Amino acid sequence: MQTRSLILLASLAVSSAWLMPHRRVSTMRSLRATVENDAEVAVALKPEYEAAYSMICSQIKDQLPEKYKDSMYPSLSHFAKEYVTANQNCIDAIGKDKAELCRPDVVVNRFLIGIQLAMTLGMGPNKFQFQPFHKSCRGENPEKEGGNTIDLFKLGNDFFRPCIHMEKSVVLGQENIHTIMEQIKQGDNVVMLANHQSEADPQVVSCLMNELTEYGEEFEKMIFVAGHKVTTDALAVPFSMGRNLICIHSKKHIDADPDSKAARQKENMRAISGMLGAFKKGGTLLWVAPSGGRDRRNVETNDIPIAPFDSKAIDMFRLIGSKSKVPTHYYTMAMVTYDVCPPPDHVEAGVGELRNMRFTPVGINVGKACISVGGLESRHDFCDHAFEQCEKDYRAIWEAIK
């Protein structure tokens, strides 16, 4: 009965965009995207980066199976142009002596490895199958990693690191991070209630914590709550394999295919059971976006409000914490990462979205522990408090980056 009571809320953790619970509506109108449409502001590639881009495109054409060329090549070549441009902008901003990861030959190699892994691990007969409770693939156990021998955690960080203008990026709330690490050492659990802006958010967290705090190694152990897109989109699969994940099917995804509904519900039960087991052991650090998806810009104003938190999603994690009998603390993590890899302006049900990349400052603000407010009759009070704190901290990041 314990797992059954939890599974009733399981799909809500990643599906709040399709539900109608009590929500706190954001009124943020001042935080803006740096671009006003899906196209990158035109930047001429220097000869060495134009050559790198041409080499990538040539290799993609050679590697893509014939049946996928018409459907996949345009989006992959677009992604390559965006990625090469972001790397060029990085080296222009910080200098060649500090930008080993941005050298044209390194960029070509890294991008093509990512594409090759996407084709071998993210599609086809040997596509990697994620378990509901997925452990980071570091290339240490090929048999359990679908034959993988690469440290995919490091590969993901290295892939997105050149897109981060680290000299202008910030990590605020460092005193709260210190408190969290002390609680983890004591065997307590910590749940980070975050807004979510980019599919690179896990890698951004790792890069910032590694370079701007003293807790990079500790954050390698963080577990991310993931929906089906990051485990089924071919390009996302290798990067997702590098993270510790709790994989939960959204309600919309479960209902989309009646034939697999029972199997997906069973997988959700296993995921929740695994999460409860981790909480019972203690010392678990968990990241979840209670909004159920990424923040989207307002196409009319170009503002980027953080998406409302879903009180039912938060209820689930509070219930798991209570059931574990281990002290569990809840903090907010405000994130400004939108421009690294901007999401589509509207929610898309399928996978394979067009990807844009930017070289940009980013920021994280870890708030204070959330006050335990709201009983059974007013659980949304806790959600409102968490959202208000996250929104306030979100504004503070923008001010710090300016």
Side-chain angles (χ1 to χ4, degrees), residues 127-145:
K127 179 177 179 179
F128 183 80
Q129 299 299 315
F130 286 85
Q131 297 301 310
F133 200 95
H134 170 76
K135 185 177 180 181
S136 173
C137 293
R138 309 296 297 264
E140 298 169 351
N141 194 337
E143 283 190 16
K144 293 185 177 180
E145 297 182 15

Side-chain angles (χ1 to χ4, degrees), residues 81-250:
K81 182 67 172 288
E82 293 276 296
Y83 189 69
V84 171
T85 301
N87 277 265
Q88 174 181 279
N89 291 343
C90 173
I91 208 166
D92 285 347
I94 67 176
K96 294 182 179 180
D97 58 326
K98 297 181 181 179
E100 176 68 21
L101 284 174
C102 302
R103 274 190 8 230
D105 59 318
V106 177
V107 173
V108 170
N109 185 60
R110 185 169 59 244
F111 191 89
L112 290 177
I113 287 175
I115 297 299
Q116 183 62 45
L117 289 173
M119 288 193 291
T120 56
L121 298 173
M123 58 194 295
N126 298 318
K127 179 177 179 179
F128 183 80
Q129 299 299 315
F130 286 85
Q131 297 301 310
F133 200 95
H134 170 76
K135 185 177 180 181
S136 173
C137 293
R138 309 296 297 264
E140 298 169 351
N141 194 337
E143 283 190 16
K144 293 185 177 180
E145 297 182 15
N148 171 61
T149 58
I150 298 173
D151 185 343
L152 295 178
F153 175 86
K154 182 179 184 301
L155 179 133
N157 291 346
D158 288 348
F159 191 92
F160 289 104
R161 174 60 182 84
C163 298
I164 300 173
H165 197 326
M166 195 63 71
E167 287 76 5
K168 294 186 177 181
S169 297
V170 297
V171 175
L172 306 179
Q174 301 238 8
E175 68 283 1
N176 298 323
I177 297 175
H178 178 74
T179 300
I180 288 170
M181 291 300 110
E182 290 300 314
Q183 290 169 335
I184 293 293
K185 287 180 182 178
Q186 294 170 9
D188 294 0
N189 301 312
V190 172
V191 177
M192 309 298 301
L193 306 172
N195 70 303
H196 179 26
Q197 296 202 323
S198 165
E199 64 179 323
D201 279 353
Q203 288 77 24
V204 171
V205 170
S206 294
C207 290
L208 291 189
M209 292 302 174
N210 188 52
E211 297 191 41
L212 300 183
T213 80
E214 58 184 289
Y215 299 110
E217 186 174 341
E218 287 81 356
F219 272 88
E220 287 188 23
K221 302 171 186 176
M222 176 178 270
I223 300 170
F224 292 83
V225 176
H228 76 282
K229 281 192 177 183
V230 299
T231 59
T232 54
D233 184 295
L235 284 176
V237 165
F239 302 122
S240 298
M241 288 174 63
R243 319 306 301 192
N244 296 312
L245 301 178
I246 296 287
C247 304
I248 300 178
H249 297 286
S250 70

Side-chain angles (χ1 to χ4, degrees), residues 319-337:
L319 179 59
I320 291 173
S322 176
K323 292 284 187 182
S324 73
K325 307 300 182 183
V326 173
T328 302
H329 312 275
Y330 301 86
Y331 290 79
T332 55
M333 177 184 279
M335 302 187 67
V336 171
T337 61

Side-chain angles (χ1 to χ4, degrees), residues 366-381:
V366 177
K368 296 179 180 179
C370 295
I371 301 171
S372 184
V373 295
L376 291 176
E377 296 79 18
S378 56
R379 294 189 299 270
H380 59 79
D381 289 346

